[in-house]
Amino acid sequence: MASADSRRVSSGPLHTLGYALLALVIFFTCFTFMKPSPYDFLALPTIALWFLLGIRLYRSTILIVALLLTYLSAIVIALIPYLDETNSVEWTYQAIYLGLTGIFFVMFFSDETSERVGFVLKAYLAGALFAAICGIFSYFDVLGEDVLFKMDGRASGVFQDPNLLGSFLILSVLYLIRRMLVGETRRNFLSATALLVLLACVFLSFSRGSWGACLLGICLTIGLTWATSPSRAIRRRIARLSALTVLVGALLIGGLLSMEGVSERFTDRAQVTKDYDEGETGRFGNQRRGIPMLIDRPLGFGPLRWRVVFDLEPHNSYIGGFANGGWLGGFAFVSIVLTSIFVGFRLCLKPSPYQGLAQIVFPALLMFFLQAFQIDIEKWRHVYMMLGMLWGLEAARIRWVFQQRSTT
């Protein structure tokens, strides 16, 4: 199948610099322990350079850009009564910044799509492996207790939150698994080793949400790949490697559980709810009390003000959308999720040159949307990157469809 990428892969010193800077930006996505981080120093000049090099907005991506701008505008409107509150203002600045990076990624991935998505997935894998190794080191105190983060006996590494570390690794887990399933990698041993490192760190993060998201994401990627593969040989390969993955994964978890302290931590974290989830003032109690209050407040509580009312974050991005941005912000956030899910399944199920990449990106993004019911994802940098990837793939797919129709 011919590619529908609208331009040839660009070359030249400025484009080389643009890709080098972007690789660093993607790699430093995992550096959340520094504020500002290298990501923040590099992102703005990198985006500015790519605008100079030429990126554009396609009609097929106007919907997601409009929804992102609506979401950001709603947050700004909700901020107006609280302009004297430093935390709310800073949170809003950060939200605008991340939302605009999402729009950049939509535009960036809309051209030369296969090459750019593949390039970024490799850079992201490098960052994920670095984060995973640091996470494992932090759990076992390889470099000492004060060098890397560890929270409540859980691996954090370069992240301050083990939940974020575990979830961050999922995209690269799916990337490696799918490439191995369809035979797109010539270095199976290195890929398998890297996969084991990532899975070990996801486990040692002891994040219940990350465990579930990783397992469901793997199942969805394998299922979509098997269902859409036209080759019986590839389907047999998928079946064999899936069975092998389950076996190796079970052995890996069994080996980790045999280590001192790991089984106790696993038993503690494997509970469906914890003390901070329960009770009238727990996470779920606050949500039950807060939802009726939001129905009566068209502007919500204002950015970052749920914690002022309840002394905790909502730990639910859908509730957070309404709390931070009022009715307009909440419905815009829900619309971003629903339209992206529709686009994602269509990309994964309909044949196109971009189906394989979509079967990596969309299951990972869908897992974040599901995790948004129990954690706040709206400040996760990589979510906006993946959102841009998904809609860039859709823009390329639509151009490919028109190209096919024009040649028949």
Side-chain angles (χ1 to χ4, degrees), residues 93-126:
Y93 282 149
Q94 293 168 4
I96 293 171
Y97 162 61
L98 291 173
L100 293 179
T101 65
I103 293 173
F104 160 73
F105 283 123
V106 169
M107 298 172 68
F108 174 79
F109 289 119
S110 293
D111 277 313
E112 301 174 10
T113 304
S114 297
E115 292 80 6
R116 290 179 178 180
V117 172
F119 175 83
V120 168
L121 286 174
K122 289 181 175 65
Y124 192 93
L125 173 61

Side-chain angles (χ1 to χ4, degrees), residues 5 9-10 14-27 46 50 104-105 108-109 111-127 171-172 175 179 357 360-361 385 389 393:
D5 294 346
V9 177
S10 303
L14 281 180
H15 279 89
T16 301
L17 176 62
Y19 278 108
L21 287 175
L22 185 66
L24 289 173
V25 168
I26 300 303
F27 178 83
T46 301
W50 276 104
F104 160 73
F105 283 123
F108 174 79
F109 289 119
D111 277 313
E112 301 174 10
T113 304
S114 297
E115 292 80 6
R116 290 179 178 180
V117 172
F119 175 83
V120 168
L121 286 174
K122 289 181 175 65
Y124 192 93
L125 173 61
L171 176 62
S172 290
Y175 173 65
R179 284 175 59 83
L357 290 170
I360 298 168
V361 175
M385 179 201 76
M389 278 186 179
L393 289 166

Side-chain angles (χ1 to χ4, degrees), residues 170-218:
I170 293 173
L171 176 62
S172 290
V173 168
L174 303 187
Y175 173 65
L176 289 172
I177 284 178
R178 194 185 186 283
R179 284 175 59 83
M180 293 172 67
L181 288 177
V182 299
E184 290 180 353
T185 177
R186 298 178 181 178
R187 300 177 177 88
N188 284 317
F189 177 77
L190 288 177
S191 294
T193 302
L195 180 60
L196 289 176
V197 170
L198 295 176
L199 290 174
C201 189
V202 171
F203 181 80
L204 292 175
S205 72
F206 292 102
S207 168
R208 294 166 295 171
S210 298
W211 290 346
C214 189
L215 180 60
L216 287 175
I218 291 172

Side-chain angles (χ1 to χ4, degrees), residues 29-30 32 121 124-125 127-129 131-132 135 154-175 197-218 269 283 317 360-386:
T29 304
C30 65
T32 66
L121 286 174
Y124 192 93
L125 173 61
L129 283 171
R154 301 160 60 195
S156 293
V158 291
F159 287 92
Q160 291 175 298
D161 183 353
N163 299 305
L164 181 51
L165 168 62
S167 296
F168 177 82
L169 304 177
I170 293 173
L171 176 62
S172 290
V173 168
L174 303 187
Y175 173 65
V197 170
L198 295 176
L199 290 174
C201 189
V202 171
F203 181 80
L204 292 175
S205 72
F206 292 102
S207 168
R208 294 166 295 171
S210 298
W211 290 346
C214 189
L215 180 60
L216 287 175
I218 291 172
R269 294 297 302 173
R283 182 198 329 197
S317 292
I360 298 168
V361 175
F362 174 62
L365 183 60
L366 179 60
M367 293 307 105
F368 286 122
F369 290 157
L370 293 177
Q371 282 188 281
F373 283 104
Q374 53 91 36
I375 199 167
D376 306 301
I377 69 165
E378 60 269 21
K379 287 299 184 70
W380 291 4
R381 300 164 181 159
H382 48 293
V383 170
Y384 294 91
M385 179 201 76
M386 292 161 60

Side-chain angles (χ1 to χ4, degrees), residues 328-402:
L328 181 61
F331 284 119
F333 185 85
V334 171
S335 297
I336 290 169
V337 171
L338 293 179
T339 55
S340 297
I341 290 175
F342 173 80
V343 165
F345 274 115
R346 183 167 63 184
L347 274 164
C348 290
L349 295 174
K350 290 200 170 187
S352 79
Y354 311 100
Q355 187 180 58
L357 290 170
Q359 290 173 352
I360 298 168
V361 175
F362 174 62
L365 183 60
L366 179 60
M367 293 307 105
F368 286 122
F369 290 157
L370 293 177
Q371 282 188 281
F373 283 104
Q374 53 91 36
I375 199 167
D376 306 301
I377 69 165
E378 60 269 21
K379 287 299 184 70
W380 291 4
R381 300 164 181 159
H382 48 293
V383 170
Y384 294 91
M385 179 201 76
M386 292 161 60
L387 194 66
M389 278 186 179
L390 183 75
W391 285 87
L393 289 166
E394 174 67 357
R397 186 196 69 84
I398 289 175
R399 292 199 307 275
W400 176 80
V401 169
F402 281 122

Side-chain angles (χ1 to χ4, degrees), residues 37-55:
S37 75
Y39 178 98
D40 299 311
F41 285 117
L42 290 170
L44 291 179
T46 301
I47 291 172
L49 176 58
W50 276 104
F51 270 100
L52 289 175
L53 291 172
I55 55 175

Side-chain angles (χ1 to χ4, degrees), residues 200-357:
C201 189
V202 171
F203 181 80
L204 292 175
S205 72
F206 292 102
S207 168
R208 294 166 295 171
S210 298
W211 290 346
C214 189
L215 180 60
L216 287 175
I218 291 172
C219 291
L220 185 56
T221 291
I222 292 175
L224 288 169
T225 304
W226 188 88
T228 57
S229 174
S231 167
R232 289 187 178 181
I234 292 180
R235 287 190 174 188
R236 287 194 294 269
R237 176 187 175 90
I238 291 171
R240 289 195 301 270
L241 287 180
S242 297
L244 181 61
T245 299
V246 171
L247 176 61
V248 173
L251 292 174
L252 174 65
I253 293 173
L256 290 171
L257 287 174
S258 67
M259 295 181 179
E260 183 180 355
V262 176
S263 60
E264 291 82 358
R265 177 60 54 191
F266 175 78
T267 302
D268 175 64
R269 294 297 302 173
Q271 301 175 46
V272 176
T273 61
K274 302 288 289 180
D275 292 341
Y276 52 77
D277 294 320
E278 301 167 350
E280 188 67 16
T281 59
R283 182 198 329 197
F284 300 133
N286 288 341
Q287 292 174 4
R288 286 192 297 270
R289 290 185 295 137
I291 290 174
M293 297 169 69
L294 291 173
I295 294 174
D296 296 328
R297 289 173 169 80
L299 295 181
F301 294 127
L304 204 65
R305 286 186 53 81
W306 178 278
R307 63 164 65 169
V308 175
V309 179
F310 297 106
D311 295 323
L312 287 172
E313 299 297 345
H315 293 298
N316 182 310
S317 292
Y318 300 98
I319 293 176
F322 288 93
N324 296 317
W327 295 354
L328 181 61
F331 284 119
F333 185 85
V334 171
S335 297
I336 290 169
V337 171
L338 293 179
T339 55
S340 297
I341 290 175
F342 173 80
V343 165
F345 274 115
R346 183 167 63 184
L347 274 164
C348 290
L349 295 174
K350 290 200 170 187
S352 79
Y354 311 100
Q355 187 180 58
L357 290 170

